[in-house]
Amino acid sequence: GITAEKRAILHDYSMKDVHRLKTLVENILTAARLDNQSIHLSTLEVEASEILHGICSEFENNFSSKRRFRFDIGSDCRLEGDPVAIASIFNNLIENAIKYSKDQDSIAVSLHRESEELVFSVADTGFGISDKNKKKIFDKFYRIGNEDTRKSQGTGLGLFIVDQLTKWHNGTVKVADNRPKGSIFTVRFFL
């Protein structure tokens, strides 16, 4: 029979796959809807910190043995928007940080209100992004193709979706180098 330890490892792998497939399917559907303008986003008062708490606990449950997470989530992070789309922005940027980093790299997620802005950022200590690639990463289907990243699975839709959904929410998304290594993605929602 299978030992308890083996069963735990198999369960771990299955949960990660379920998580990855869910994101993959959601991204493909969202990209298709963005393409033919059939995406229907609602405008509700959303407490973004609650959404992010839920997403962060899911990532921590699935990846805590692989990455070192730091979460810094403020309160009173309300904005007008679509809760599913906002969850998709959060999810894709954290997923991206996991995908483009190695075991035991750290990922810092933060969400805070700064006067008339809501600022969400994900900083990783992963492979980083060259200046040449920084211009292209938000294009549809673009994937950074180097030795480190080729092993990671993806559709090249995650950052395209983040960019489109952020614009829809009257926001911006930018990427910068993290020091000494890695990347920082920052989304600003203008309230």
Side-chain angles (χ1 to χ4, degrees):
I2 297 178
T3 64
E5 191 186 357
K6 272 224 176 85
R7 196 175 298 123
I9 290 166
L10 284 171
H11 178 263
D12 201 33
Y13 277 123
S14 306
M15 289 314 290
K16 285 193 186 81
D17 275 349
V18 164
H19 187 88
R20 202 169 47 79
L21 283 171
K22 197 176 92 186
T23 307
L24 214 63
V25 170
E26 280 168 4
N27 279 349
I28 289 165
L29 290 173
T30 304
R33 289 185 192 121
L34 284 166
D35 258 0
N36 64 17
Q37 264 104 51
S38 74
I39 194 155
H40 299 296
L41 299 179
S42 53
T43 308
L44 306 167
E45 179 155 288
V46 178
E47 181 46 78
S49 61
E50 282 174 17
I51 293 174
L52 187 55
H53 272 297
I55 287 169
C56 288
S57 65
E58 197 176 330
F59 276 110
E60 203 158 37
N61 289 341
N62 288 329
F63 296 97
S64 62
S65 61
K66 298 280 181 201
R67 299 290 183 278
R68 295 203 309 274
F69 288 106
R70 259 200 353 267
F71 302 120
D72 178 12
I73 305 172
S75 54
D76 187 28
C77 293
R78 286 191 302 272
L79 78 158
E80 296 279 305
D82 184 285
V84 176
I86 289 163
S88 180
I89 292 167
F90 293 165
N91 214 7
N92 271 302
L93 286 177
I94 300 170
E95 181 104 1
N96 199 61
I98 291 169
K99 199 185 292 176
Y100 294 108
S101 58
K102 304 189 298 295
D103 275 9
Q104 301 314 311
D105 273 346
S106 70
I107 295 171
V109 176
S110 108
L111 177 70
H112 288 283
R113 194 188 175 119
E114 291 176 14
S115 65
E116 296 307 297
E117 292 178 8
L118 199 57
V119 183
F120 169 69
S121 77
V122 180
D124 65 64
T125 55
F127 307 125
I129 301 165
S130 71
D131 289 344
K132 189 181 79 184
N133 282 323
K134 279 192 191 83
K135 294 183 177 66
K136 302 179 195 161
I137 54 170
F138 296 106
D139 295 352
K140 188 156 76 178
F141 301 128
Y142 186 75
R143 296 188 68 211
I144 297 169
N146 64 30
E147 273 317 299
D148 292 324
T149 62
R150 218 169 266 129
K151 294 186 286 290
S152 75
Q153 293 153 310
T155 53
L157 291 172
L159 292 178
F160 164 74
I161 287 168
V162 166
D163 186 50
Q164 297 290 310
L165 293 179
T166 302
K167 280 178 180 152
W168 191 90
H169 282 87
N170 181 31
T172 61
V173 57
K174 298 217 159 55
V175 62
D177 292 332
N178 196 6
R179 304 278 177 228
K181 69 188 184 89
S183 306
I184 305 175
F185 283 84
T186 305
V187 173
R188 290 177 182 276
F189 298 107
F190 305 107
L191 305 172

